[in-house]
Amino acid sequence: MINNNFINKYLRQTQDIYGDKLFLKINKVSNDANIVENSLDEFYHSINMCQKCQLGNSRKNFVFGIGDKNADLLLVGEAPGEKEDLEGVPFVGRAGKLLDKMLASIKLDRTKVYISNVVNYRPPENRRPTEEEIERYLPYLKSHIEIIDPEILLLLGSTALNTLIGNDVVISKARGKWIQKEIGAAKPWIIASFHPAFLMRQPEQKKLAWIDLKMIRDKSKILKL
Ligand code: URA
């Protein structure tokens, strides 16, 4: 349940990250009674106005999140690629097609989960986001997780893993293990797995990703989701 304190914190973080002009715009929107219900939608539309973030300079679209806002499973990738930037939707390129297959293998699809990224703009040349960029977006990512408040958080790849769990872990060792961690007001069960783009480059690792997917399927049953 999203309360007013949460919305105020969310708006303050938005001001820090995206600047005063946008903050005023969103703050105005927040006076609308629908802000709680529609906070993600409102934020998405408002953020398209953002001119402050450098990553935003080369963007075509702000790539926010997609899926069921009430989902039990939230997936976090790294950053939008070219196709995502064109369409403004996460994971719609080749990696996204593989992600769809991975979800289908445990009888899920993108209407039943929620998907976002560590950063919401495509870094030029599809480079990995810098530490500075990741830091800049982290409060926002945390707010996003708080809003969705998932039971299970799937971190796709090392950028998502290192951003939310720390830089002292490596994906090859950390994947396939459950940890429960507070992220703001949320306390999801967290599991990391390989990023679909990595699996396309190293298909022999898909068997490990399959183990991780089955762990999610089994955890969902245990949690009666
Ligand atoms: N890779 C990601 O990490 N995120 C996307 O949205 C697309 C590709």
Side-chain angles (χ1 to χ4, degrees):
M1 178 60 83
I2 303 169
N3 59 32
N4 281 343
N5 284 345
F6 174 77
I7 293 293
N8 287 338
K9 182 173 152 225
Y10 176 59
L11 291 170
R12 271 198 310 280
Q13 286 174 345
T14 303
Q15 184 181 26
D16 291 345
I17 298 169
Y18 298 110
D20 293 342
K21 206 168 150 198
L22 179 65
F23 173 76
L24 290 173
K25 188 175 164 68
I26 296 178
N27 208 13
K28 187 166 162 290
V29 173
S30 77
N31 292 327
D32 187 319
N34 289 331
I35 183 68
V36 174
E37 192 53 25
N38 296 325
S39 57
L40 285 173
D41 292 340
E42 299 289 356
F43 190 78
Y44 172 84
H45 290 297
S46 303
I47 214 76
N48 272 327
M49 308 285 292
C50 173
Q51 298 297 326
K52 194 174 177 191
C53 173
Q54 281 187 355
L55 268 185
N57 291 343
S58 55
R59 78 181 189 287
K60 294 201 171 43
N61 278 302
F62 176 71
V63 183
F64 186 65
I66 188 146
D68 179 2
K69 292 174 206 167
N70 298 310
D72 293 317
L73 174 59
L74 167 61
L75 289 72
V76 176
E78 179 179 288
E82 187 177 8
K83 195 132 195 276
E84 290 78 19
D85 182 42
L86 282 175
E87 297 189 21
V89 179
F91 281 101
V92 286
R94 285 177 61 230
K97 300 277 174 290
L98 177 55
L99 183 61
D100 287 340
K101 286 185 189 162
M102 291 163 70
L103 288 172
S105 73
I106 52 169
K107 299 199 172 5
L108 288 175
D109 61 57
R110 56 174 71 215
T111 67
K112 298 189 185 114
V113 302
Y114 192 89
I115 307 174
S116 191
N117 282 303
V118 169
V119 302
N120 304 100
Y121 291 121
R122 180 192 183 206
E125 314 299 328
N126 287 348
R127 63 162 169 73
R128 188 183 190 274
T130 63
E131 288 302 319
E132 192 193 339
E133 287 158 356
I134 290 171
E135 273 302 308
R136 189 173 168 82
Y137 281 82
L138 184 55
Y140 172 60
L141 173 63
K142 287 182 175 170
S143 290
H144 213 152
I145 294 169
E146 280 188 291
I147 292 175
I148 303 297
D149 195 13
E151 300 291 331
I152 298 175
L153 177 59
L154 170 56
L155 306 177
L156 292 167
S158 55
T159 301
L161 171 72
N162 295 142
T163 299
L164 286 164
I165 304 300
N167 280 323
D168 53 341
V169 282
V170 289
I171 187 78
S172 55
K173 295 222 167 72
R175 57 144 285 279
K177 293 179 186 143
W178 288 112
I179 60 163
Q180 201 174 20
K181 186 178 163 176
E182 284 179 13
I183 300 176
K187 197 177 177 189
W189 284 100
I190 305 177
I191 190 167
S193 191
F194 293 124
H195 193 288
F198 170 80
L199 293 174
M200 289 189 314
R201 294 193 301 274
Q202 301 215 14
E204 69 279 5
Q205 303 292 344
K206 284 184 183 173
K207 55 184 179 300
L208 293 177
W210 172 230
I211 292 172
D212 305 339
L213 288 166
K214 283 191 291 187
M215 286 179 70
I216 292 171
R217 186 188 62 191
D218 294 347
K219 189 68 144 186
S220 302
K221 279 188 197 147
I222 292 166
L223 296 175
K224 300 193 188 339
L225 303 178

